[in-house]
Amino acid sequence: MARKFFGTDGIRGRTNSGVMTAATAMKVGQAAGRHFVRGGHRHRVVIGKDTRLSGYMMESALVAGFTSVGIDVIMTGPLPTPAIALLTREMRADLGVMISASHNLYADNGIKLFGPDGFKLSDEAEAEIERLIETDIPLVPAEKIGRARRIEDARGRYIHAVKNSVASEVRFDGLKVVVDCAHGAAYQVAPSAIWELGAEVIALGVSPDGVNINDGVGSTAIEALQARVVEEQAHVGIALDGDADRLIVVDEKGRAVDGDQIMALIATRMHEKGVLKGGGIVSTVMSNLGLERYLASQGLTLERTKVGDRYVLERMKEGGFNVGGEQSGHMIMLDHSTTGDGTVAAMRVLTSLVRSEKPASEILHLFDPVPQLLKNVRYEGGAPLDNEAVKAVIAEAEAELEGKGRLVIRPSGTEPVIRVMAEGDDKKQVEAVVDRVCDAVRAAT
């Protein structure tokens, strides 16, 4: 059944329209609060946010919703998504909430929910909360209304946890690091954590004003970071997104390094140390075939899931893996975090730089990606992937690429778009296959 509120990563949309209104946020607070009431103890929720203007409005609405059903609220202010997952677990809270639209611009916002274990909710839990949102939720009597308070040491707790993900003997002395925080949630914690371990830090995107989050900065707009790394002759550049759960790296030559190369580095180093679990890593169908071949050459596997870090995480937990991620930069290291954490992943990259004494361009180029092409086809209605002519073209394309590449076709989870991706050793063949499938989809709409 199609969902009205939850998408692939919580609830997200343009603020003051559709599902992303203060009224909806209050109902989410009430519904999630009711869902997580277990036992007779005093229940509590941890609420964090990024730096976008609407965060204040959404925070106030969520506080109203939770307290009205008897849940105490702890507010942290701007903090990365993984910090909220961490604090939810550490503070023995019954659930956690992050107010963020991740890498989107300021006009959008979103609500991500975490269970008491710090993990994102299951499909079943989200479905139940969605059902409750559209019911009349009973409110508690006046004497049982929840209390709300802000805590002042949340940033320090997270910085401490990030530093603890690095071996105690490791220091970053001598490294010059440009850190781009996207004017987002990590604008204080990420530069501080890296500086406290000894690096010289040049900070970008650390002056949020409510409307500049992800605007020309961060992991989805790395041109400013690339230029600054070269200008400063830095050893490496680190780019986070608005809620700091993803990471893109820029090497000393100013070249971008995506999540596939970062995962290859992390998996290789952990495998060498004997601490990589599951015999490989987990990523999505979008990860490059070059990564899969490289891991195989190291005796490691790449297990693929649907797009979305929650699906990567589910497979990691099922299969006993401790490293997973996405080409887009989500890095999940279950030994240190219950969700994607760009700052913790950055610490692994910096540690490898220090220990190897090699340039970033060398340690972060472990394989050559095969040619990969992604195109989007917008449609007005219907189900073009169910069209028989489209199915025939897709089957023909898959047969053509068999043994030489891959074809991945999926509908977007947030808009009426079909995403067509192909990769293989022959660039011209990849382009031709993608164009044929796109043409068939357009003809069917």
Side-chain angles (χ1 to χ4, degrees):
M1 185 177 70
R3 296 187 179 191
K4 179 178 178 181
F5 298 98
F6 286 92
T8 55
D9 193 14
I11 304 170
R12 188 180 299 183
R14 190 173 182 85
T15 47
N16 272 354
S17 66
V19 300
M20 197 44 56
T21 65
T24 299
M26 186 174 73
K27 288 288 288 186
V28 170
Q30 292 172 335
R34 291 291 298 181
H35 177 73
F36 279 96
V37 169
R38 294 176 173 86
H41 66 278
R42 191 73 185 177
H43 289 68
R44 59 168 57 168
V45 57
V46 175
I47 299 181
K49 61 183 179 180
D50 63 23
T51 57
R52 59 194 76 220
L53 179 64
S54 57
Y56 295 97
M57 177 183 76
M58 304 306 287
E59 179 185 62
S60 298
L62 282 162
V63 169
F66 281 115
T67 54
S68 71
V69 295
I71 308 293
D72 289 341
V73 177
I74 299 168
M75 294 172 285
T76 70
L79 271 185
T81 290
I84 301 309
L86 170 76
L87 289 170
T88 299
R89 194 172 68 252
E90 276 197 353
M91 301 185 76
R92 308 294 194 272
D94 298 279
L95 73 159
V97 180
M98 180 64 183
I99 305 167
S100 175
S102 190
H103 57 279
N104 292 18
L105 295 177
Y106 85 96
D108 292 343
N109 216 330
I111 300 171
K112 300 180 185 182
L113 299 175
F114 296 93
D117 55 3
F119 289 101
K120 290 181 180 178
L121 302 189
S122 65
D123 288 338
E124 294 74 22
E126 287 185 348
E128 175 58 17
I129 291 170
E130 184 154 301
R131 184 191 68 78
L132 287 169
I133 288 172
E134 300 200 278
T135 65
D136 290 327
I137 298 169
L139 307 181
V140 298
E143 67 274 12
K144 293 187 177 180
I145 290 173
R147 297 177 181 271
R149 59 175 293 192
R150 291 190 180 274
I151 57 173
E152 302 301 326
D153 65 342
R155 288 197 299 270
R157 291 187 187 205
Y158 178 63
I159 289 171
H160 179 72
V162 167
K163 289 162 58 182
N164 273 352
S165 71
V166 177
S168 59
E169 72 275 9
V170 172
R171 290 188 56 84
F172 299 155
D173 299 72
L175 282 186
K176 182 186 282 190
V177 185
V178 184
V179 182
D180 182 350
C181 298
H183 298 306
Y187 77 102
Q188 292 176 315
V189 294
S192 296
I194 295 170
W195 174 81
E196 287 183 20
L197 288 178
E200 178 185 348
V201 174
I202 298 156
L204 293 180
V206 291
S207 302
D209 62 11
V211 299
N212 62 359
I213 187 170
N214 300 312
D215 188 5
V217 287
S219 62
T220 54
I222 61 170
E223 294 79 10
L225 176 63
Q226 291 174 303
R228 193 66 180 274
V229 167
V230 174
E231 176 191 338
E232 298 283 352
Q233 296 185 319
H235 295 95
V236 69
I238 301 298
L240 305 172
D241 66 337
D243 68 335
D245 66 350
R246 69 168 71 183
L247 166 72
I248 296 295
V249 174
V250 170
D251 69 21
E252 81 284 359
K253 297 178 181 179
R255 297 184 302 197
V257 179
D258 68 12
D260 284 348
Q261 294 283 5
I262 298 169
M263 283 187 285
L265 172 65
I266 292 173
T268 298
R269 296 294 180 262
M270 292 181 66
H271 181 53
E272 290 171 351
K273 293 167 62 179
V275 295
L276 184 69
K277 299 175 183 175
I281 66 173
V282 181
S283 189
T284 74
V285 293
M286 302 306 290
S287 276
N288 195 275
L289 184 60
L291 171 62
E292 186 172 346
R293 290 172 175 173
Y294 167 76
L295 291 171
S297 75
Q298 305 300 305
L300 301 173
T301 61
L302 174 65
E303 294 213 15
R304 296 182 183 271
T305 72
K306 294 191 294 184
V307 172
D309 62 326
R310 61 181 298 179
Y311 301 112
V312 172
L313 180 58
E314 286 174 4
R315 180 62 195 126
M316 289 174 68
K317 292 166 70 177
E318 289 169 359
F321 297 87
N322 58 348
V323 175
E326 295 187 278
Q327 186 184 66
S328 59
H330 286 111
M331 298 291 130
I332 306 173
M333 286 171 287
L334 280 182
D335 294 341
H336 304 289
S337 181
T338 55
T339 188
D341 194 325
T343 310
V344 167
M347 291 294 190
R348 285 302 178 94
V349 172
L350 298 178
T351 298
S352 293
L353 275 176
V354 170
R355 285 182 163 160
S356 70
E357 298 183 340
K358 295 178 180 179
S361 57
E362 185 174 339
I363 70 166
L364 285 161
H365 187 83
L366 295 177
F367 67 89
D368 292 323
V370 304
Q372 187 181 79
L373 180 63
L374 170 66
K375 288 190 176 182
N376 296 324
V377 182
R378 188 169 292 274
Y379 62 96
E380 297 302 323
L385 294 184
D386 292 337
N387 181 278
E388 291 303 321
V390 173
K391 289 181 180 179
V393 171
I394 291 173
E396 179 185 300
E398 288 175 334
E400 183 178 335
L401 288 174
E402 187 174 2
K404 297 176 289 186
R406 295 189 308 126
L407 178 66
V408 178
I409 300 170
R410 65 184 185 89
S412 167
T414 58
E415 54 185 334
V417 165
I418 302 297
R419 306 196 193 283
V420 180
M421 189 277 281
E423 61 181 358
D425 298 313
D426 185 333
K427 183 179 180 181
K428 289 185 178 179
Q429 182 184 44
V430 166
E431 292 172 350
V433 163
V434 169
D435 286 341
R436 285 206 310 273
V437 175
C438 288
D439 289 344
V441 172
R442 289 190 193 97
T445 60

